[in-house]
Amino acid sequence: MTDMTLFAEQQVRADLAKLLLAAVEASGRARCNVARDAQIHKDALRRVLAGERSASLGEALRILAACGVAPHAHLLLFLVSGDDHAIAWLQSDLAQFFEVFSGELPSAMERVLGNQVHDVKPRWAKGTAHRVARLLSDHIDELERKDALLGDVFADAEGGHRG
């Protein structure tokens, strides 16, 4: 059962404010510029970042976008794993990967699973997540091996031209 205290308005507001404040600070931009680009009054932004006012979904997305981060990824991370991952992944390639991955996943599942999409069980989620992470790790290792091999080939070719 879900712990409903996690969804208390003040706690959610404070956690979201923490994420948005971290995004604004990491952006290196002046708050007035973030407010302008997010189409939110600078005083409203100040109150949101202080946790005195709740940001609407649209405001939160626009603030994150104005900070130059992947807005959907960070809100999704915030919703599913809390502010820690969302803050830790600010302005990272991992967040951009997560944004594209999570946006592509529903249609990819429908395309690959076809009629089996309705057979998917919630209990498989954790194992599947670990399997996807292992698959991604193997993919990165393979790409690094290929890069190293190509680097050796180019180094040999350059050495051959000089000698």
Side-chain angles (χ1 to χ4, degrees), residues 77-157:
L77 282 167
F78 173 75
L79 291 172
V80 299
S81 65
D83 57 340
D84 292 338
H85 276 111
I87 291 172
W89 290 8
L90 278 172
Q91 296 183 329
S92 70
D93 287 345
L94 188 54
Q96 291 176 348
F97 168 87
F98 188 73
E99 179 143 334
V100 173
F101 177 82
S102 57
E104 192 65 29
L105 185 61
S107 59
M109 287 179 64
E110 287 177 342
R111 187 175 53 255
V112 172
L113 293 174
N115 291 335
Q116 292 177 315
V117 75
H118 301 292
D119 297 332
V120 173
K121 305 291 184 229
R123 69 178 183 267
W124 300 341
K126 188 173 183 178
T128 302
H130 288 270
R131 190 168 187 176
V132 167
R134 279 192 304 275
L135 180 63
L136 184 58
S137 175
D138 292 345
H139 182 65
I140 291 169
D141 290 344
E142 180 65 22
L143 290 174
E144 287 175 350
R145 280 191 293 275
K146 287 180 180 179
D147 283 348
L149 180 62
L150 284 175
D152 290 344
V153 167
F154 286 126
D156 289 344

